[in-house]
Short mmCIF file of all heavy atoms in Angstrom, two decimals:
data_model
loop_
_atom_site.label_atom_id
_atom_site.label_comp_id
_atom_site.label_asym_id
_atom_site.label_seq_id
_atom_site.Cartn_x
_atom_site.Cartn_y
_atom_site.Cartn_z
N ILE A 1 2.32 -1.43 0.22
CA ILE A 1 3.34 -1.61 1.25
C ILE A 1 3.85 -3.03 1.09
O ILE A 1 3.07 -3.99 1.20
CB ILE A 1 2.73 -1.38 2.64
CG1 ILE A 1 2.19 0.05 2.70
CG2 ILE A 1 3.79 -1.62 3.72
CD1 ILE A 1 1.12 0.25 3.74
N THR A 2 5.12 -3.16 0.79
CA THR A 2 5.65 -4.47 0.42
C THR A 2 6.21 -5.25 1.60
O THR A 2 6.98 -6.19 1.42
CB THR A 2 6.69 -4.36 -0.70
OG1 THR A 2 7.72 -3.48 -0.29
CG2 THR A 2 6.04 -3.86 -1.99
N ASP A 3 5.85 -4.86 2.80
CA ASP A 3 6.11 -5.72 3.98
C ASP A 3 4.90 -6.67 4.05
O ASP A 3 3.76 -6.22 4.03
CB ASP A 3 6.17 -4.91 5.26
CG ASP A 3 7.49 -4.18 5.43
OD1 ASP A 3 8.45 -4.58 4.75
OD2 ASP A 3 7.55 -3.25 6.24
N CYS A 4 5.17 -7.95 4.13
CA CYS A 4 4.08 -8.93 4.23
C CYS A 4 3.51 -8.93 5.64
O CYS A 4 4.26 -9.07 6.60
CB CYS A 4 4.60 -10.31 3.89
SG CYS A 4 5.23 -10.45 2.21
N VAL A 5 2.19 -8.73 5.75
CA VAL A 5 1.55 -8.70 7.07
C VAL A 5 0.30 -9.53 7.05
O VAL A 5 -0.34 -9.71 6.00
CB VAL A 5 1.20 -7.24 7.49
CG1 VAL A 5 2.44 -6.38 7.57
CG2 VAL A 5 0.18 -6.64 6.57
N PRO A 6 -0.11 -10.04 8.22
CA PRO A 6 -1.40 -10.74 8.30
C PRO A 6 -2.53 -9.74 8.10
O PRO A 6 -2.37 -8.53 8.33
CB PRO A 6 -1.44 -11.31 9.72
CG PRO A 6 -0.12 -11.06 10.31
CD PRO A 6 0.60 -10.08 9.48
N GLN A 7 -3.69 -10.23 7.71
CA GLN A 7 -4.83 -9.35 7.43
C GLN A 7 -5.19 -8.49 8.64
O GLN A 7 -5.55 -7.32 8.47
CB GLN A 7 -6.03 -10.19 6.99
CG GLN A 7 -7.21 -9.37 6.51
CD GLN A 7 -8.10 -8.91 7.65
OE1 GLN A 7 -8.20 -9.57 8.67
NE2 GLN A 7 -8.75 -7.78 7.46
N VAL A 8 -5.08 -9.01 9.83
CA VAL A 8 -5.47 -8.25 11.03
C VAL A 8 -4.57 -7.04 11.25
O VAL A 8 -4.94 -6.14 12.01
CB VAL A 8 -5.50 -9.14 12.29
CG1 VAL A 8 -6.60 -10.18 12.18
CG2 VAL A 8 -4.14 -9.81 12.51
N GLN A 9 -3.42 -7.00 10.60
CA GLN A 9 -2.52 -5.86 10.74
C GLN A 9 -2.58 -4.88 9.56
O GLN A 9 -1.86 -3.88 9.54
CB GLN A 9 -1.08 -6.32 10.93
CG GLN A 9 -0.85 -7.10 12.21
CD GLN A 9 0.56 -7.64 12.30
OE1 GLN A 9 1.42 -7.35 11.46
NE2 GLN A 9 0.83 -8.43 13.31
N ALA A 10 -3.42 -5.16 8.60
CA ALA A 10 -3.41 -4.37 7.36
C ALA A 10 -3.74 -2.90 7.58
O ALA A 10 -3.06 -2.03 7.07
CB ALA A 10 -4.39 -4.99 6.35
N ALA A 11 -4.79 -2.60 8.34
CA ALA A 11 -5.18 -1.20 8.54
C ALA A 11 -4.10 -0.44 9.30
O ALA A 11 -3.75 0.70 8.94
CB ALA A 11 -6.50 -1.11 9.28
N ALA A 12 -3.54 -1.04 10.34
CA ALA A 12 -2.47 -0.38 11.11
C ALA A 12 -1.23 -0.16 10.26
O ALA A 12 -0.54 0.85 10.38
CB ALA A 12 -2.14 -1.19 12.35
N THR A 13 -0.92 -1.12 9.38
CA THR A 13 0.23 -1.00 8.51
C THR A 13 0.05 0.15 7.54
O THR A 13 0.97 0.93 7.29
CB THR A 13 0.46 -2.32 7.73
OG1 THR A 13 0.66 -3.37 8.69
CG2 THR A 13 1.66 -2.24 6.83
N ALA A 14 -1.16 0.28 6.96
CA ALA A 14 -1.47 1.41 6.06
C ALA A 14 -1.32 2.74 6.78
O ALA A 14 -0.75 3.69 6.25
CB ALA A 14 -2.87 1.25 5.48
N ALA A 15 -1.85 2.82 8.01
CA ALA A 15 -1.76 4.07 8.76
C ALA A 15 -0.31 4.41 9.09
O ALA A 15 0.08 5.59 8.99
CB ALA A 15 -2.60 3.95 10.03
N ALA A 16 0.48 3.42 9.44
CA ALA A 16 1.88 3.67 9.78
C ALA A 16 2.68 4.17 8.58
O ALA A 16 3.67 4.89 8.74
CB ALA A 16 2.51 2.38 10.33
N ALA A 17 2.22 3.83 7.37
CA ALA A 17 2.88 4.30 6.16
C ALA A 17 2.33 5.62 5.66
O ALA A 17 2.69 6.09 4.60
CB ALA A 17 2.76 3.23 5.07
N GLY A 18 1.40 6.22 6.42
CA GLY A 18 0.88 7.54 6.07
C GLY A 18 -0.33 7.50 5.16
O GLY A 18 -0.66 8.52 4.52
N GLY A 19 -1.03 6.40 5.10
CA GLY A 19 -2.23 6.31 4.26
C GLY A 19 -3.36 5.63 4.99
O GLY A 19 -3.36 5.56 6.22
N THR A 20 -4.34 5.17 4.24
CA THR A 20 -5.44 4.42 4.80
C THR A 20 -5.63 3.17 3.96
O THR A 20 -5.29 3.15 2.77
CB THR A 20 -6.76 5.21 4.78
OG1 THR A 20 -7.05 5.59 3.42
CG2 THR A 20 -6.68 6.46 5.64
N LEU A 21 -6.19 2.12 4.56
CA LEU A 21 -6.45 0.89 3.82
C LEU A 21 -7.40 1.24 2.67
O LEU A 21 -8.41 1.89 2.87
CB LEU A 21 -7.07 -0.13 4.76
CG LEU A 21 -7.02 -1.59 4.36
CD1 LEU A 21 -5.60 -2.06 4.08
CD2 LEU A 21 -7.66 -2.45 5.42
N ALA A 22 -7.06 0.86 1.46
CA ALA A 22 -7.80 1.28 0.27
C ALA A 22 -9.23 0.76 0.25
O ALA A 22 -9.51 -0.37 0.63
CB ALA A 22 -7.09 0.77 -0.99
N ALA A 23 -10.13 1.63 -0.17
CA ALA A 23 -11.53 1.29 -0.42
C ALA A 23 -11.72 1.36 -1.93
O ALA A 23 -11.56 2.42 -2.52
CB ALA A 23 -12.46 2.26 0.30
N LEU A 24 -11.99 0.24 -2.55
CA LEU A 24 -12.06 0.17 -4.02
C LEU A 24 -13.48 0.09 -4.52
O LEU A 24 -14.39 -0.36 -3.82
CB LEU A 24 -11.27 -1.04 -4.54
CG LEU A 24 -9.78 -1.09 -4.20
CD1 LEU A 24 -9.16 -2.35 -4.79
CD2 LEU A 24 -9.07 0.16 -4.68
N THR A 25 -13.65 0.50 -5.77
CA THR A 25 -14.89 0.30 -6.50
C THR A 25 -14.53 -0.39 -7.82
O THR A 25 -13.34 -0.48 -8.17
CB THR A 25 -15.60 1.63 -6.82
OG1 THR A 25 -14.76 2.38 -7.72
CG2 THR A 25 -15.85 2.45 -5.56
N ALA A 26 -15.53 -0.86 -8.55
CA ALA A 26 -15.26 -1.46 -9.85
C ALA A 26 -14.48 -0.50 -10.75
O ALA A 26 -13.63 -0.92 -11.52
CB ALA A 26 -16.56 -1.89 -10.49
N ALA A 27 -14.76 0.81 -10.62
CA ALA A 27 -14.07 1.81 -11.45
C ALA A 27 -12.62 2.03 -11.00
O ALA A 27 -11.72 2.13 -11.84
CB ALA A 27 -14.83 3.12 -11.41
N THR A 28 -12.38 2.09 -9.70
CA THR A 28 -11.01 2.38 -9.25
C THR A 28 -10.08 1.19 -9.37
O THR A 28 -8.85 1.36 -9.39
CB THR A 28 -11.00 2.92 -7.79
OG1 THR A 28 -11.60 1.96 -6.93
CG2 THR A 28 -11.69 4.26 -7.68
N VAL A 29 -10.62 -0.01 -9.47
CA VAL A 29 -9.74 -1.18 -9.67
C VAL A 29 -8.90 -0.99 -10.94
O VAL A 29 -7.73 -1.36 -10.97
CB VAL A 29 -10.56 -2.49 -9.75
CG1 VAL A 29 -9.75 -3.64 -10.32
CG2 VAL A 29 -11.06 -2.86 -8.35
N ALA A 30 -9.47 -0.37 -11.95
CA ALA A 30 -8.74 -0.12 -13.19
C ALA A 30 -7.56 0.83 -13.00
O ALA A 30 -6.65 0.86 -13.80
CB ALA A 30 -9.68 0.43 -14.25
N GLU A 31 -7.58 1.60 -11.89
CA GLU A 31 -6.49 2.55 -11.62
C GLU A 31 -5.31 1.89 -10.90
O GLU A 31 -4.28 2.53 -10.70
CB GLU A 31 -7.01 3.69 -10.76
CG GLU A 31 -8.08 4.53 -11.41
CD GLU A 31 -8.60 5.63 -10.50
OE1 GLU A 31 -7.87 5.99 -9.55
OE2 GLU A 31 -9.71 6.09 -10.73
N ILE A 32 -5.47 0.65 -10.50
CA ILE A 32 -4.41 -0.05 -9.77
C ILE A 32 -3.41 -0.61 -10.78
O ILE A 32 -3.41 -1.78 -11.11
CB ILE A 32 -4.97 -1.18 -8.89
CG1 ILE A 32 -6.15 -0.72 -8.05
CG2 ILE A 32 -3.88 -1.77 -8.00
CD1 ILE A 32 -5.82 0.33 -7.03
N THR A 33 -2.59 0.27 -11.32
CA THR A 33 -1.58 -0.15 -12.29
C THR A 33 -0.21 0.27 -11.83
O THR A 33 -0.05 1.30 -11.18
CB THR A 33 -1.87 0.44 -13.69
OG1 THR A 33 -1.87 1.86 -13.59
CG2 THR A 33 -3.20 -0.05 -14.24
#
């Protein structure tokens, strides 16, 4: 989401865009392309 937000608004911003704040692992970081 390319609207700049403070960290305290990150989860609500993700939800408003129809998703959830990402939970990453060492393996899924490679998928962030």
Side-chain angles (χ1 to χ4, degrees):
I1 300 156
T2 56
D3 282 342
C4 298
V5 300
Q7 187 275 330
V8 294
Q9 295 176 5
T13 301
T20 58
L21 199 56
L24 300 180
T25 66
T28 57
V29 164
E31 297 178 22
I32 311 295
T33 59

